[in-house]
């Protein structure tokens, strides 16, 4: 994934998905979409971000955003 100038980011049920925005014609690795799960994202958030993530998953049993 290194070397790309920009990425398309999509949010899914289980995390964020990153796909290179401009795909060169070299090699199959350039089309790989990487996922950052909510549990991986949580330590990177500010206290307010963690609070908002907790609220987002508060009504879902076993949600990865719970504390």
């Amino acid at each position: 994934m290194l070397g790309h100038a920009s990425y398309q980011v999509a949010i899914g049920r289980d995390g964020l998905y990153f796909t290179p925005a401009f795909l060169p014609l070299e090699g199959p690795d350039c089309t790989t979409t990487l996922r950052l799960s909510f549990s991986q994202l949580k330590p990177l958030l500010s206290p307010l971000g963690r609070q908002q993530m907790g609220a987002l998953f508060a009504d879902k049993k076993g949600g990865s955003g719970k504390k």
Side-chain angles (χ1 to χ4, degrees), residues 12-27:
R13 295 176 74 119
D14 59 346
L16 301 177
Y17 293 85
F18 297 87
T19 304
F22 301 103
L23 302 176
L25 299 175
E26 308 165 5

Side-chain angles (χ1 to χ4, degrees), residues 20-44:
F22 301 103
L23 302 176
L25 299 175
E26 308 165 5
D29 290 338
C30 65
T31 60
T32 301
T33 297
L34 299 176
R35 180 179 62 93
L36 179 64
S37 70
F38 290 124
S39 60
Q40 292 170 307
L41 179 62
K42 192 173 180 179
L44 305 174

Side-chain angles (χ1 to χ4, degrees), residues 2 5 7 9 13 24 26 44-45 48 66:
L2 296 174
Y7 299 88
V9 181
R13 295 176 74 119
E26 308 165 5
L44 305 174
L45 297 175
L48 178 59
K66 286 191 168 188

